[in-house]
Amino acid sequence: MPDNIVAGGVSVDTRHWIGGRRVASSETFTDVSPIDGGTIGEISRGTALEAAAAVAAAKAAFPAWAATSRAERARILHAIADGVEKRIEELSIVETTDNGALLRSHRRGVIPRVAHNFRFFADWLLKLEHEDFETRGHTNHVSWDPAGPSVLITPWNAPLMLATWKVAPALAAGNTVVLKPAEWSPLTASLLADIAAEAGLPAGVLNVIQGYGSEIGDALTSHPDVRRISFTGSVPTAKRIAESAAGNLTPLSLELGGKSPLLVFADADLDLAVDLAVEQYDNAGQVCLAATRFLVEESVAEEFTRRFVEKAARLTQGDPRDETTDIGPNIHPRQLEKIDAFVQRALAAGARAVIGGHRKDTQYYAPTLLTDVAQDSEIVQEEVFGPVLTLQTFSTEEEAVRLANDTRFGLAATLATGDAERAERVTEQLVAGTVWVNCFFVRDLQAPFGGSRHSGVGREGGTWSFDFYCDVKNTVTAPNGGKNHG
């Protein structure tokens, strides 16, 4: 097969990146664009052999990279960010071609955020410290030691941004990396390897291996030389990774699914609440943080629904390369089938589609809002990961909190209210890693990010990322060099 394919007019190498060089596999898998279902090209399909080679390369490169000064690591991360910024247009069009998200979003926010990820963790590294403290005259000094080769397994809904949420802190921490991108959207990970090499990242510090998780996942996550594993994706896959890592007691960071609520109280600014609600269709509903369950106080539910339907009707669904498009396609025909199956089962069980409830064609699912859904129903309890929302009502604050917390997930929650005291009361009771009050998707890298319950294990962001990717050490020193002055 050819070593390169062209995606959106941009040449992308289809081979793995291992030990500072391109490595091809004998087998391939087909990468398909969700925009029209057309084939983009054939991608090297990794095996356990390539997985072992990638880990070996990361292990070999680790001692020198771990010994590299903080200042030099930070300089290289900034150089990677420079490379990303020079190629924003190329990265944006490749990402849109590969995963179907809006081109305007990639250009204006998502890909610039990739560069920011590297800059943030480069800068945070340089100020990472814990104030020394005394214990009976002894000095305690906390330090962060690089842990070792890290396997990072990333999802398809925001491929490069979510990958670099992990790659940037892992590299900043002094770890070497094996990145396994999702097989439905592998292309920008390959471009990242090129950018990192051009920025001067030493060979073997970043490795990229492509393929199916079912074929190479265990070879990566069970490898005895892997010191950290970070995964973003589904709960069932996370359980398999945890089982695989258990034999070596490899520490895990897991950012998993969500079934997050949007609580709308009668005292809320309804226009704001509706804006927040319609925003949940972002990226065709393929956002783990999305508030897919609307919980609306009974007295305003009818008016909220009316305004929501009016605003949702103004959304434009279509080609994500068009500046006027608001909702693009879903990632893959299999995902579309999964979404539709959820909706059809819900309708058969008695749910009512206020809008949508059907496919538009083989790539696009109509934005959907379902009512008359039971709290214990599948559509309320399970993550759909598509443009499908539900609406339930409540009559008291206590009922709102109970419904909000009544799933196995706990990734995020959004609250619309005009009462500051109520906001404080309710947020204290919500089970969620992130709570937004009268806003949505405000995300700062210095804040902790992660989920509760089945939504994840651990936190990413700021010092929390370094705590995970490092072995945190405390050194205790006796006073006066340990001399006994009796």
Side-chain angles (χ1 to χ4, degrees), residues 143-156:
S143 58
W144 287 262
D145 294 348
S150 302
V151 167
L152 313 180
I153 303 173
T154 55
W156 46 257

Side-chain angles (χ1 to χ4, degrees), residues 52-345:
V55 174
K59 181 181 179 182
F62 173 67
W65 182 244
T68 300
S69 70
R70 286 189 178 191
E72 178 62 8
R73 273 185 257 152
R75 185 193 68 78
I76 292 176
L77 262 63
H78 275 292
I80 295 173
D82 292 341
V84 170
E85 288 175 344
K86 290 175 183 176
R87 301 182 70 176
I88 283 177
E89 182 63 22
E90 292 181 18
L91 291 165
S92 296
I93 190 62
V94 170
E95 197 86 298
T96 292
T97 302
D98 208 17
N99 91 323
L102 300 184
L103 180 56
R104 72 166 189 259
S105 295
H106 283 138
R107 284 172 170 158
R108 299 171 190 171
V110 179
I111 301 304
R113 183 61 180 262
V114 170
H116 174 69
N117 289 344
F118 284 103
R119 295 199 192 283
F120 172 87
F121 285 106
D123 293 343
W124 200 267
L125 169 66
L126 296 180
K127 63 183 181 182
L128 181 67
E129 63 178 354
H130 189 292
E131 185 177 350
D132 290 352
F133 56 97
E134 299 294 319
T135 304
R136 298 191 300 276
H138 294 64
T139 300
N140 292 262
H141 176 73
V142 177
S143 58
W144 287 262
D145 294 348
S150 302
V151 167
L152 313 180
I153 303 173
T154 55
W156 46 257
N157 56 322
L160 190 58
M161 187 181 72
L162 294 180
T164 55
W165 273 5
K166 302 176 186 296
V167 171
L171 295 180
N175 291 0
T176 51
V177 166
V178 178
L179 171 62
K180 193 278 178 194
E183 58 267 25
W184 285 351
S185 57
L187 298 183
T188 48
S190 181
L191 293 176
L192 177 64
D194 295 335
I195 292 169
E198 292 166 4
L201 190 70
V205 175
L206 172 64
N207 306 274
V208 179
I209 180 168
Q210 302 147 160
Y212 295 112
S214 59
E215 296 177 349
I216 59 176
D218 186 67
L220 293 172
T221 56
S222 67
H223 201 293
D225 291 330
V226 171
R227 295 291 179 259
R228 294 291 186 273
I229 299 169
S230 183
F231 169 73
T232 296
S234 71
V235 172
T237 301
K239 290 180 178 180
R240 291 194 294 272
I241 290 172
E243 290 174 359
S244 179
N248 299 310
L249 293 177
T250 309
L252 296 169
S253 174
L254 304 173
E255 197 269 277
L256 309 178
K259 197 67 181 177
S260 302
L262 166 60
L263 292 80
V264 179
F265 287 90
D267 57 23
D269 178 334
L270 271 195
D271 286 334
L272 170 64
V274 168
D275 286 345
L276 295 174
V278 173
E279 194 175 347
Q280 308 312 313
Y281 288 132
D282 182 49
N283 202 17
Q286 299 168 144
V287 178
C288 59
L289 292 163
T292 56
R293 295 184 296 131
F294 299 166
L295 304 176
V296 185
E297 193 161 356
E298 287 176 352
S299 61
V300 295
E302 184 176 347
E303 179 63 15
F304 171 89
T305 304
R306 183 187 68 78
R307 295 191 198 184
F308 175 86
V309 170
E310 286 181 357
K311 190 173 182 66
R314 295 195 290 270
L315 296 173
T316 300
Q317 187 169 26
D319 191 323
R321 297 166 295 190
D322 191 321
E323 279 285 314
T324 65
T325 296
D326 300 303
I327 303 177
N330 289 98
I331 182 77
H332 194 276
R334 285 217 314 261
Q335 185 66 16
L336 202 73
E337 291 170 7
K338 176 185 173 184
I339 294 165
D340 192 50
F342 267 112
V343 172
Q344 299 313 314
R345 288 193 296 269

